[in-house]
Amino acid sequence: QVQLVESGGGLVQAGGSLTLSCGASGSLFTITHQGWYRQAPGKERELVADITSDDNIIYADSVRGRFTISRGNVKNTWSLQMSGLEPEDTAVYYCNAAWGHGSGRYDFWGQGTQVTVSS
């Protein structure tokens, strides 16, 4: 099992910046994905950014160029730097880690942290 804890959410004005951090513990040696997802009210959870064990990074089209995912200097941590925030970015953000790929993927989730962007 993998346990994830997020931090760093909050309230920010449009155009502002926030950084979310995730710390992982547990069975980490087989993690293949480290990422961030978000879920806005009334919408499905969606991928924000993901980095694989071989350093491939993907971003949602809506955040590319504004958000940056990176691994932390402390082992088994990663962060999401968000800039140019828009009201549409308001959501609960979830830290994600996964074993495997595709149909064999098994996901772990943090408890979520609220990000609210005011206009």
Side-chain angles (χ1 to χ4, degrees), residues 50-95:
D50 179 89
I51 181 169
T52 66
S53 53
D54 54 359
D55 295 329
N56 288 321
I57 296 176
I58 59 172
Y59 292 101
D61 289 343
S62 59
V63 307
R64 188 176 294 112
R66 299 188 297 123
F67 291 10
T68 302
I69 187 171
S70 61
R71 293 195 182 90
N73 293 326
V74 176
K75 190 176 180 181
N76 301 322
T77 64
W78 57 100
S79 65
L80 184 69
Q81 295 174 280
M82 306 183 292
S83 62
L85 284 160
E86 304 167 352
E88 293 73 22
D89 295 316
T90 294
V92 177
Y93 283 70
Y94 295 91
C95 176

Side-chain angles (χ1 to χ4, degrees), residues 1-4 24-32 76 78 97 99:
Q1 295 296 310
V2 175
Q3 295 78 42
L4 304 175
S25 60
S27 300
L28 303 173
F29 58 92
T30 54
I31 284 181
T32 53
N76 301 322
W78 57 100
W99 293 341

